[in-house]
CSV table of all heavy atoms in Angstrom, one decimal:
chain,number,residue,atom,x,y,z
A,533,MET,N,42.2,12.6,10.8
A,533,MET,CA,41.5,11.4,10.4
A,533,MET,C,40.1,11.3,11.1
A,533,MET,O,39.2,10.9,10.5
A,533,MET,CB,42.3,10.2,10.8
A,533,MET,CG,41.8,8.9,10.3
A,533,MET,SD,41.7,8.9,8.5
A,533,MET,CE,41.4,7.3,8.1
A,534,LYS,N,40.0,11.8,12.3
A,534,LYS,CA,38.7,11.8,13.0
A,534,LYS,C,37.7,12.7,12.3
A,534,LYS,O,36.5,12.4,12.3
A,534,LYS,CB,38.9,12.2,14.5
A,534,LYS,CG,39.5,11.1,15.3
A,534,LYS,CD,39.5,11.5,16.8
A,534,LYS,CE,40.0,10.4,17.6
A,534,LYS,NZ,39.7,10.6,19.0
A,535,ARG,N,38.2,13.8,11.8
A,535,ARG,CA,37.3,14.7,11.1
A,535,ARG,C,36.8,14.1,9.8
A,535,ARG,O,35.6,14.2,9.5
A,535,ARG,CB,38.1,16.0,10.8
A,535,ARG,CG,37.2,17.0,10.2
A,535,ARG,CD,37.9,18.3,10.0
A,535,ARG,NE,36.9,19.4,9.7
A,535,ARG,CZ,37.1,20.6,9.8
A,535,ARG,NH1,38.3,21.1,10.3
A,535,ARG,NH2,36.2,21.5,9.5
A,536,ALA,N,37.6,13.4,9.0
A,536,ALA,CA,37.2,12.7,7.8
A,536,ALA,C,36.2,11.6,8.1
A,536,ALA,O,35.2,11.4,7.4
A,536,ALA,CB,38.4,12.2,7.1
A,537,GLN,N,36.5,10.9,9.2
A,537,GLN,CA,35.6,9.8,9.6
A,537,GLN,C,34.2,10.4,10.1
A,537,GLN,O,33.2,9.9,9.7
A,537,GLN,CB,36.2,9.0,10.8
A,537,GLN,CG,35.3,7.8,11.2
A,537,GLN,CD,36.0,7.1,12.3
A,537,GLN,OE1,36.9,7.5,13.0
A,537,GLN,NE2,35.5,5.9,12.6
A,538,ALA,N,34.2,11.5,10.8
A,538,ALA,CA,33.0,12.2,11.2
A,538,ALA,C,32.2,12.7,10.0
A,538,ALA,O,31.0,12.5,9.9
A,538,ALA,CB,33.3,13.3,12.1
A,539,ILE,N,32.9,13.2,9.0
A,539,ILE,CA,32.2,13.7,7.8
A,539,ILE,C,31.6,12.5,7.0
A,539,ILE,O,30.5,12.5,6.6
A,539,ILE,CB,33.2,14.5,6.9
A,539,ILE,CG1,33.5,15.8,7.6
A,539,ILE,CG2,32.6,14.7,5.5
A,539,ILE,CD1,34.6,16.6,6.9
A,540,GLY,N,32.4,11.4,6.9
A,540,GLY,CA,31.9,10.2,6.3
A,540,GLY,C,30.7,9.6,6.9
A,540,GLY,O,29.7,9.2,6.3
A,541,LEU,N,30.7,9.6,8.2
A,541,LEU,CA,29.5,9.1,9.0
A,541,LEU,C,28.3,10.0,8.8
A,541,LEU,O,27.2,9.5,8.8
A,541,LEU,CB,29.9,8.9,10.5
A,541,LEU,CG,30.8,7.7,10.8
A,541,LEU,CD1,31.2,7.7,12.2
A,541,LEU,CD2,30.2,6.4,10.4
A,542,GLY,N,28.6,11.3,8.8
A,542,GLY,CA,27.5,12.2,8.6
A,542,GLY,C,26.8,12.1,7.2
A,542,GLY,O,25.6,12.1,7.1
A,543,VAL,N,27.7,11.9,6.2
A,543,VAL,CA,27.1,11.7,4.9
A,543,VAL,C,26.4,10.4,4.8
A,543,VAL,O,25.3,10.3,4.2
A,543,VAL,CB,28.3,11.7,3.8
A,543,VAL,CG1,27.8,11.2,2.5
A,543,VAL,CG2,28.9,13.1,3.7
A,544,TRP,N,26.9,9.3,5.4
A,544,TRP,CA,26.2,8.0,5.4
A,544,TRP,C,24.9,8.2,6.1
A,544,TRP,O,23.9,7.7,5.6
A,544,TRP,CB,27.1,7.0,6.2
A,544,TRP,CG,26.4,5.7,6.3
A,544,TRP,CD1,25.7,5.2,7.5
A,544,TRP,CD2,26.3,4.6,5.4
A,544,TRP,NE1,25.2,4.0,7.2
A,544,TRP,CE2,25.5,3.6,6.0
A,544,TRP,CE3,26.8,4.5,4.1
A,544,TRP,CZ2,25.3,2.4,5.3
A,544,TRP,CZ3,26.5,3.3,3.4
A,544,TRP,CH2,25.7,2.3,4.0
A,545,ASP,N,24.8,8.9,7.3
A,545,ASP,CA,23.6,9.0,8.0
A,545,ASP,C,22.6,9.9,7.2
A,545,ASP,O,21.4,9.6,7.2
A,545,ASP,CB,23.8,9.7,9.3
A,545,ASP,CG,22.6,9.7,10.3
A,545,ASP,OD1,22.0,8.6,10.3
A,545,ASP,OD2,22.4,10.7,10.9
A,546,PHE,N,23.1,10.8,6.4
A,546,PHE,CA,22.2,11.7,5.6
A,546,PHE,C,21.6,10.8,4.5
A,546,PHE,O,20.4,11.0,4.2
A,546,PHE,CB,22.9,12.9,5.1
A,546,PHE,CG,22.1,13.7,4.2
A,546,PHE,CD1,21.1,14.5,4.6
A,546,PHE,CD2,22.3,13.7,2.8
A,546,PHE,CE1,20.4,15.3,3.8
A,546,PHE,CE2,21.6,14.5,1.9
A,546,PHE,CZ,20.6,15.3,2.4
A,547,ILE,N,22.4,10.0,3.8
A,547,ILE,CA,21.9,9.3,2.7
A,547,ILE,C,21.1,8.1,3.1
A,547,ILE,O,20.0,7.9,2.6
A,547,ILE,CB,23.1,8.8,1.8
A,547,ILE,CG1,23.8,10.0,1.2
A,547,ILE,CG2,22.7,7.8,0.7
A,547,ILE,CD1,25.1,9.7,0.4
A,548,VAL,N,21.6,7.3,4.0
A,548,VAL,CA,20.8,6.1,4.4
A,548,VAL,C,19.7,6.4,5.4
A,548,VAL,O,18.6,5.9,5.3
A,548,VAL,CB,21.8,5.1,5.0
A,548,VAL,CG1,21.1,3.9,5.5
A,548,VAL,CG2,22.8,4.6,4.0
A,549,GLY,N,20.0,7.3,6.4
A,549,GLY,CA,19.0,7.7,7.4
A,549,GLY,C,18.6,6.6,8.2
A,549,GLY,O,19.4,5.7,8.7
A,550,ASP,N,17.3,6.5,8.5
A,550,ASP,CA,16.8,5.4,9.3
A,550,ASP,C,16.4,4.2,8.6
A,550,ASP,O,16.2,3.1,9.2
A,550,ASP,CB,15.5,6.0,10.1
A,550,ASP,CG,15.8,7.1,11.0
A,550,ASP,OD1,16.9,7.1,11.6
A,550,ASP,OD2,14.9,7.9,11.3
A,551,ASP,N,16.3,4.2,7.3
A,551,ASP,CA,15.8,3.0,6.6
A,551,ASP,C,16.8,2.7,5.5
A,551,ASP,O,16.7,3.2,4.4
A,551,ASP,CB,14.4,3.4,6.0
A,551,ASP,CG,13.7,2.1,5.6
A,551,ASP,OD1,14.3,1.0,5.6
A,551,ASP,OD2,12.5,2.2,5.3
A,552,TRP,N,17.7,1.7,5.7
A,552,TRP,CA,18.7,1.3,4.8
A,552,TRP,C,18.0,0.6,3.6
A,552,TRP,O,18.6,0.7,2.5
A,552,TRP,CB,19.7,0.4,5.4
A,552,TRP,CG,19.2,-0.9,5.9
A,552,TRP,CD1,18.7,-1.2,7.1
A,552,TRP,CD2,19.1,-2.1,5.1
A,552,TRP,NE1,18.4,-2.5,7.2
A,552,TRP,CE2,18.6,-3.1,6.0
A,552,TRP,CE3,19.4,-2.4,3.8
A,552,TRP,CZ2,18.3,-4.4,5.6
A,552,TRP,CZ3,19.2,-3.7,3.4
A,552,TRP,CH2,18.7,-4.7,4.3
A,553,GLN,N,16.8,0.0,3.8
A,553,GLN,CA,16.2,-0.7,2.7
A,553,GLN,C,15.7,0.3,1.6
A,553,GLN,O,15.8,0.0,0.4
A,553,GLN,CB,15.1,-1.5,3.2
A,553,GLN,CG,15.6,-2.7,4.0
A,553,GLN,CD,14.8,-2.9,5.3
A,553,GLN,OE1,14.1,-2.0,5.7
A,553,GLN,NE2,14.9,-4.1,5.8
A,554,VAL,N,15.2,1.4,2.0
A,554,VAL,CA,14.8,2.4,1.0
A,554,VAL,C,16.0,3.0,0.3
A,554,VAL,O,16.0,3.2,-0.9
A,554,VAL,CB,14.0,3.6,1.7
A,554,VAL,CG1,13.7,4.7,0.8
A,554,VAL,CG2,12.7,3.0,2.3
A,555,ALA,N,17.1,3.2,1.0
A,555,ALA,CA,18.3,3.7,0.4
A,555,ALA,C,18.8,2.7,-0.7
A,555,ALA,O,19.2,3.1,-1.8
A,555,ALA,CB,19.4,4.0,1.4
A,556,LEU,N,18.8,1.4,-0.3
A,556,LEU,CA,19.2,0.4,-1.3
A,556,LEU,C,18.3,0.4,-2.5
A,556,LEU,O,18.7,0.2,-3.6
A,556,LEU,CB,19.2,-1.0,-0.6
A,556,LEU,CG,19.6,-2.1,-1.4
A,556,LEU,CD1,21.1,-2.0,-2.0
A,556,LEU,CD2,19.5,-3.4,-0.7
A,557,GLY,N,17.0,0.5,-2.2
A,557,GLY,CA,16.0,0.5,-3.3
A,557,GLY,C,16.2,1.7,-4.3
A,557,GLY,O,16.1,1.6,-5.5
A,558,VAL,N,16.6,2.9,-3.7
A,558,VAL,CA,16.9,4.0,-4.6
A,558,VAL,C,18.1,3.8,-5.4
A,558,VAL,O,18.1,4.0,-6.6
A,558,VAL,CB,17.1,5.3,-3.7
A,558,VAL,CG1,17.7,6.4,-4.5
A,558,VAL,CG2,15.8,5.7,-3.1
A,559,VAL,N,19.2,3.2,-4.8
A,559,VAL,CA,20.4,2.9,-5.6
A,559,VAL,C,20.1,1.9,-6.7
A,559,VAL,O,20.5,2.0,-7.8
A,559,VAL,CB,21.5,2.4,-4.6
A,559,VAL,CG1,22.7,1.8,-5.4
A,559,VAL,CG2,22.0,3.5,-3.7
A,560,LEU,N,19.3,0.8,-6.4
A,560,LEU,CA,19.0,-0.2,-7.4
A,560,LEU,C,18.1,0.4,-8.5
A,560,LEU,O,18.3,0.1,-9.7
A,560,LEU,CB,18.3,-1.4,-6.7
A,560,LEU,CG,19.2,-2.2,-5.8
A,560,LEU,CD1,18.3,-3.3,-5.1
A,560,LEU,CD2,20.3,-2.8,-6.6
A,561,THR,N,17.2,1.3,-8.1
A,561,THR,CA,16.3,2.0,-9.1
A,561,THR,C,17.2,2.8,-10.1
A,561,THR,O,16.9,2.8,-11.3
A,561,THR,CB,15.3,2.8,-8.4
A,561,THR,OG1,14.5,2.0,-7.6
A,561,THR,CG2,14.4,3.6,-9.4
A,562,LEU,N,18.1,3.6,-9.5
A,562,LEU,CA,19.0,4.4,-10.4
A,562,LEU,C,19.8,3.5,-11.3
A,562,LEU,O,20.0,3.9,-12.5
A,562,LEU,CB,19.8,5.3,-9.5
A,562,LEU,CG,19.0,6.4,-8.8
A,562,LEU,CD1,20.0,7.2,-7.9
A,562,LEU,CD2,18.3,7.3,-9.7
A,563,ALA,N,20.3,2.4,-10.8
A,563,ALA,CA,21.1,1.5,-11.6
A,563,ALA,C,20.3,0.9,-12.7
A,563,ALA,O,20.7,0.9,-13.9
A,563,ALA,CB,21.8,0.4,-10.7
A,564,LEU,N,19.1,0.5,-12.4
A,564,LEU,CA,18.2,-0.1,-13.4
A,564,LEU,C,17.8,1.0,-14.4
A,564,LEU,O,17.8,0.7,-15.6
A,564,LEU,CB,16.9,-0.6,-12.7
A,564,LEU,CG,15.9,-1.2,-13.6
A,564,LEU,CD1,16.4,-2.5,-14.3
A,564,LEU,CD2,14.6,-1.5,-12.9
A,565,THR,N,17.6,2.2,-14.0
A,565,THR,CA,17.2,3.2,-15.0
A,565,THR,C,18.4,3.5,-15.9
A,565,THR,O,18.2,3.7,-17.1
A,565,THR,CB,16.9,4.5,-14.2
A,565,THR,OG1,15.8,4.3,-13.3
A,565,THR,CG2,16.5,5.6,-15.2
A,566,ALA,N,19.6,3.5,-15.4
A,566,ALA,CA,20.8,3.7,-16.2
A,566,ALA,C,21.0,2.6,-17.2
A,566,ALA,O,21.3,2.9,-18.4
A,566,ALA,CB,22.0,3.9,-15.3
A,567,LEU,N,20.7,1.4,-16.8
A,567,LEU,CA,20.9,0.3,-17.7
A,567,LEU,C,19.8,0.3,-18.8
A,567,LEU,O,20.1,0.1,-20.0
A,567,LEU,CB,20.7,-1.1,-17.0
A,567,LEU,CG,21.9,-1.5,-16.1
A,567,LEU,CD1,21.6,-2.7,-15.2
A,567,LEU,CD2,23.1,-1.7,-16.9
A,568,ILE,N,18.6,0.6,-18.4
A,568,ILE,CA,17.5,0.6,-19.4
A,568,ILE,C,17.6,1.8,-20.3
A,568,ILE,O,17.2,1.8,-21.5
A,568,ILE,CB,16.1,0.5,-18.7
A,568,ILE,CG1,16.0,-0.9,-18.1
A,568,ILE,CG2,15.0,0.8,-19.7
A,568,ILE,CD1,14.7,-1.2,-17.4
A,569,ALA,N,18.1,2.9,-19.8
A,569,ALA,CA,18.2,4.2,-20.6
A,569,ALA,C,19.1,4.0,-21.8
A,569,ALA,O,18.9,4.6,-22.9
A,569,ALA,CB,18.7,5.3,-19.7
A,570,GLY,N,20.1,3.1,-21.6
A,570,GLY,CA,21.0,2.9,-22.8
A,570,GLY,C,20.4,2.0,-23.8
A,570,GLY,O,20.8,2.0,-25.0
A,571,ALA,N,19.4,1.2,-23.4
A,571,ALA,CA,18.8,0.2,-24.3
A,571,ALA,C,17.5,0.7,-25.0
A,571,ALA,O,17.3,0.4,-26.2
A,571,ALA,CB,18.5,-1.1,-23.6
A,572,THR,N,16.8,1.5,-24.3
A,572,THR,CA,15.5,2.0,-24.9
A,572,THR,C,15.3,3.5,-24.6
A,572,THR,O,16.1,4.1,-23.9
A,572,THR,CB,14.3,1.2,-24.2
A,572,THR,OG1,14.2,1.6,-22.8
A,572,THR,CG2,14.4,-0.3,-24.3
A,573,LYS,N,14.2,4.0,-25.1
A,573,LYS,CA,13.9,5.4,-24.9
A,573,LYS,C,12.8,5.6,-23.9
A,573,LYS,O,12.5,6.7,-23.5
A,573,LYS,CB,13.6,6.1,-26.2
A,573,LYS,CG,14.7,6.2,-27.1
A,573,LYS,CD,14.3,7.1,-28.3
A,573,LYS,CE,15.6,7.2,-29.2
A,573,LYS,NZ,15.6,8.4,-29.9
A,574,THR,N,12.2,4.5,-23.5
A,574,THR,CA,11.0,4.6,-22.6
A,574,THR,C,11.5,4.1,-21.2
A,574,THR,O,11.1,3.1,-20.7
A,574,THR,CB,9.8,3.7,-23.1
A,574,THR,OG1,10.3,2.4,-23.2
A,574,THR,CG2,9.3,4.2,-24.4
A,575,ASP,N,12.2,5.0,-20.5
A,575,ASP,CA,12.7,4.7,-19.2
A,575,ASP,C,12.1,5.6,-18.1
A,575,ASP,O,12.4,5.4,-16.9
A,575,ASP,CB,14.2,4.7,-19.1
A,575,ASP,CG,14.7,6.1,-19.5
A,575,ASP,OD1,14.0,6.9,-20.0
A,575,ASP,OD2,15.9,6.3,-19.4
A,576,TRP,N,11.3,6.5,-18.5
A,576,TRP,CA,10.7,7.5,-17.6
A,576,TRP,C,9.9,6.9,-16.5
A,576,TRP,O,9.8,7.4,-15.4
A,576,TRP,CB,9.9,8.5,-18.3
A,576,TRP,CG,8.7,8.0,-19.0
A,576,TRP,CD1,8.6,7.5,-20.2
A,576,TRP,CD2,7.4,7.8,-18.3
A,576,TRP,NE1,7.3,7.0,-20.5
A,576,TRP,CE2,6.6,7.2,-19.3
A,576,TRP,CE3,6.9,8.0,-17.1
A,576,TRP,CZ2,5.2,6.9,-19.1
A,576,TRP,CZ3,5.6,7.7,-16.8
A,576,TRP,CH2,4.8,7.1,-17.8
A,577,TRP,N,9.3,5.7,-16.7
A,577,TRP,CA,8.3,5.1,-15.8
A,577,TRP,C,9.0,4.4,-14.6
A,577,TRP,O,8.3,4.1,-13.6
A,577,TRP,CB,7.4,4.2,-16.5
A,577,TRP,CG,8.2,3.1,-17.2
A,577,TRP,CD1,8.7,3.2,-18.5
A,577,TRP,CD2,8.6,1.8,-16.7
A,577,TRP,NE1,9.4,2.0,-18.8
A,577,TRP,CE2,9.3,1.2,-17.7
A,577,TRP,CE3,8.4,1.2,-15.5
A,577,TRP,CZ2,9.9,-0.1,-17.5
A,577,TRP,CZ3,9.0,0.0,-15.3
A,577,TRP,CH2,9.7,-0.7,-16.3
A,578,ILE,N,10.2,4.1,-14.7
A,578,ILE,CA,10.9,3.3,-13.7
A,578,ILE,C,11.0,4.0,-12.3
A,578,ILE,O,10.6,3.4,-11.3
A,578,ILE,CB,12.3,2.9,-14.1
A,578,ILE,CG1,12.3,2.1,-15.4
A,578,ILE,CG2,13.1,2.2,-13.1
A,578,ILE,CD1,13.6,1.9,-16.1
A,579,VAL,N,11.4,5.3,-12.3
A,579,VAL,CA,11.6,6.0,-11.0
A,579,VAL,C,10.2,6.2,-10.3
A,579,VAL,O,10.1,5.9,-9.2
A,579,VAL,CB,12.4,7.3,-11.2
A,579,VAL,CG1,12.4,8.1,-9.9
A,579,VAL,CG2,13.8,7.0,-11.7
A,580,PRO,N,9.2,6.7,-11.0
A,580,PRO,CA,7.9,6.9,-10.3
A,580,PRO,C,7.3,5.6,-9.8
A,580,PRO,O,6.8,5.6,-8.7
A,580,PRO,CB,7.0,7.5,-11.4
A,580,PRO,CG,7.9,8.1,-12.4
A,580,PRO,CD,9.1,7.3,-12.4
A,581,THR,N,7.5,4.5,-10.5
A,581,THR,CA,7.0,3.2,-10.1
A,581,THR,C,7.8,2.8,-8.9
A,581,THR,O,7.2,2.3,-7.9
A,581,THR,CB,7.1,2.2,-11.2
A,581,THR,OG1,6.4,2.7,-12.4
A,581,THR,CG2,6.5,0.9,-10.8
A,582,ALA,N,9.1,3.0,-8.9
A,582,ALA,CA,9.9,2.6,-7.7
A,582,ALA,C,9.6,3.4,-6.5
A,582,ALA,O,9.5,2.9,-5.4
A,582,ALA,CB,11.4,2.7,-8.1
A,583,VAL,N,9.4,4.7,-6.7
A,583,VAL,CA,9.0,5.6,-5.6
A,583,VAL,C,7.7,5.1,-4.9
A,583,VAL,O,7.6,5.0,-3.7
A,583,VAL,CB,8.9,7.0,-6.0
A,583,VAL,CG1,8.3,7.9,-5.0
A,583,VAL,CG2,10.3,7.6,-6.3
A,584,LEU,N,6.7,4.8,-5.7
A,584,LEU,CA,5.4,4.3,-5.2
A,584,LEU,C,5.6,3.0,-4.4
A,584,LEU,O,5.1,2.8,-3.3
A,584,LEU,CB,4.4,4.2,-6.3
A,584,LEU,CG,3.9,5.5,-6.8
A,584,LEU,CD1,3.0,5.2,-8.0
A,584,LEU,CD2,3.1,6.3,-5.8
A,585,GLY,N,6.4,2.1,-5.0
A,585,GLY,CA,6.6,0.8,-4.3
A,585,GLY,C,7.4,1.0,-3.1
A,585,GLY,O,7.1,0.3,-2.0
A,586,LEU,N,8.5,1.8,-3.1
A,586,LEU,CA,9.3,2.0,-1.9
A,586,LEU,C,8.5,2.7,-0.8
A,586,LEU,O,8.6,2.3,0.4
A,586,LEU,CB,10.6,2.8,-2.2
A,586,LEU,CG,11.6,2.0,-3.1
A,586,LEU,CD1,12.7,3.0,-3.5
A,586,LEU,CD2,12.2,0.9,-2.3
A,587,LEU,N,7.7,3.6,-1.2
A,587,LEU,CA,6.9,4.4,-0.2
A,587,LEU,C,5.9,3.4,0.5
A,587,LEU,O,5.7,3.4,1.7
A,587,LEU,CB,6.2,5.6,-0.8
A,587,LEU,CG,5.3,6.3,0.1
A,587,LEU,CD1,6.1,7.0,1.2
A,587,LEU,CD2,4.6,7.4,-0.7
A,588,ALA,N,5.2,2.6,-0.4
A,588,ALA,CA,4.2,1.7,0.1
A,588,ALA,C,4.8,0.7,1.1
A,588,ALA,O,4.3,0.4,2.1
A,588,ALA,CB,3.5,1.0,-1.0
A,589,THR,N,6.0,0.1,0.7
A,589,THR,CA,6.6,-0.8,1.5
A,589,THR,C,7.1,-0.2,2.8
A,589,THR,O,7.0,-0.9,3.9
A,589,THR,CB,7.9,-1.4,0.7
A,589,THR,OG1,7.4,-2.0,-0.5
A,589,THR,CG2,8.6,-2.5,1.5
A,590,SER,N,7.6,1.0,2.8
A,590,SER,CA,8.1,1.6,4.0
A,590,SER,C,6.9,1.9,5.0
A,590,SER,O,7.0,1.7,6.2
A,590,SER,CB,8.8,2.9,3.6
A,590,SER,OG,9.2,3.6,4.8
A,591,VAL,N,5.8,2.4,4.4
A,591,VAL,CA,4.7,2.7,5.3
A,591,VAL,C,4.1,1.4,5.8
A,591,VAL,O,3.7,1.3,7.0
A,591,VAL,CB,3.6,3.5,4.5
A,591,VAL,CG1,2.3,3.5,5.2
A,591,VAL,CG2,4.1,4.9,4.1
A,592,TRP,N,4.0,0.3,5.0
A,592,TRP,CA,3.5,-1.0,5.5
A,592,TRP,C,4.4,-1.5,6.6
A,592,TRP,O,3.9,-2.0,7.6
A,592,TRP,CB,3.5,-1.9,4.3
A,592,TRP,CG,3.1,-3.3,4.7
A,592,TRP,CD1,1.8,-3.7,5.0
A,592,TRP,CD2,3.9,-4.4,4.9
A,592,TRP,NE1,1.8,-5.0,5.3
A,592,TRP,CE2,3.1,-5.5,5.3
A,592,TRP,CE3,5.2,-4.7,4.8
A,592,TRP,CZ2,3.5,-6.8,5.6
A,592,TRP,CZ3,5.7,-5.9,5.1
A,592,TRP,CH2,4.9,-7.0,5.5
A,593,ARG,N,5.7,-1.4,6.5
A,593,ARG,CA,6.6,-1.9,7.6
A,593,ARG,C,6.5,-1.1,8.8
A,593,ARG,O,6.5,-1.6,9.9
A,593,ARG,CB,8.1,-1.9,7.1
A,593,ARG,CG,8.4,-3.1,6.3
A,593,ARG,CD,9.9,-3.2,6.0
A,593,ARG,NE,10.3,-2.3,4.9
A,593,ARG,CZ,11.1,-1.3,5.0
A,593,ARG,NH1,11.8,-1.1,6.1
A,593,ARG,NH2,11.4,-0.5,4.0
A,594,ALA,N,6.3,0.3,8.7
A,594,ALA,CA,6.2,1.1,9.8
A,594,ALA,C,4.9,0.9,10.6
A,594,ALA,O,4.8,0.8,11.8
A,594,ALA,CB,6.3,2.6,9.4
A,595,ALA,N,3.8,0.6,9.8
A,595,ALA,CA,2.5,0.4,10.4
A,595,ALA,C,2.5,-1.0,11.1
A,595,ALA,O,1.9,-1.2,12.2
A,595,ALA,CB,1.4,0.4,9.3
A,596,ARG,N,3.2,-2.0,10.5
A,596,ARG,CA,3.3,-3.3,11.1
A,596,ARG,C,4.1,-3.2,12.4
A,596,ARG,O,3.8,-3.9,13.4
A,596,ARG,CB,4.0,-4.2,10.1
A,596,ARG,CG,3.9,-5.6,10.5
A,596,ARG,CD,4.4,-6.5,9.4
A,596,ARG,NE,5.1,-7.7,10.0
A,596,ARG,CZ,6.0,-8.4,9.4
A,596,ARG,NH1,6.4,-8.1,8.2
A,596,ARG,NH2,6.6,-9.4,10.0
A,597,ALA,N,5.2,-2.4,12.4
A,597,ALA,CA,6.0,-2.3,13.6
A,597,ALA,C,5.2,-1.6,14.7
A,597,ALA,O,5.4,-1.9,15.9
A,597,ALA,CB,7.3,-1.6,13.3
A,598,ALA,N,4.4,-0.7,14.3
A,598,ALA,CA,3.6,0.1,15.4
A,598,ALA,C,2.6,-0.8,16.0
A,598,ALA,O,2.2,-0.6,17.2
A,598,ALA,CB,2.9,1.3,14.7
A,599,ARG,N,2.1,-1.8,15.3
A,599,ARG,CA,1.1,-2.7,15.9
A,599,ARG,C,1.7,-3.7,16.9
A,599,ARG,O,1.0,-4.2,17.7
A,599,ARG,CB,0.4,-3.5,14.8
A,599,ARG,CG,-0.7,-2.7,14.1
A,599,ARG,CD,-1.5,-3.6,13.1
A,599,ARG,NE,-0.7,-3.6,11.8
A,599,ARG,CZ,-0.7,-4.6,11.0
A,599,ARG,NH1,-1.5,-5.7,11.2
A,599,ARG,NH2,0.0,-4.5,9.9
A,600,HIS,N,3.0,-4.0,16.7
A,600,HIS,CA,3.6,-5.0,17.6
A,600,HIS,C,4.3,-4.4,18.6
A,600,HIS,O,4.9,-3.6,19.0
A,600,HIS,CB,4.5,-5.9,16.7
A,600,HIS,CG,3.8,-6.8,15.8
A,600,HIS,ND1,3.5,-6.4,14.5
A,600,HIS,CD2,3.2,-8.0,16.0
A,600,HIS,CE1,2.8,-7.4,13.9
A,600,HIS,NE2,2.6,-8.3,14.8
């Protein structure tokens, strides 16, 4: 059981890493893309837009934390 728990924690650390908010944003982006892909054919713009937004937010939070 300890081995399975260690593997699970390793996978969690790999996926979530240091920033759980970015990981949540990626999951929500993929879910939104899946929902819209079924309804329309123009869903390609969702992921690049989300990546730019998540990156900008992450950098802004890191810069703000470095100032304080």
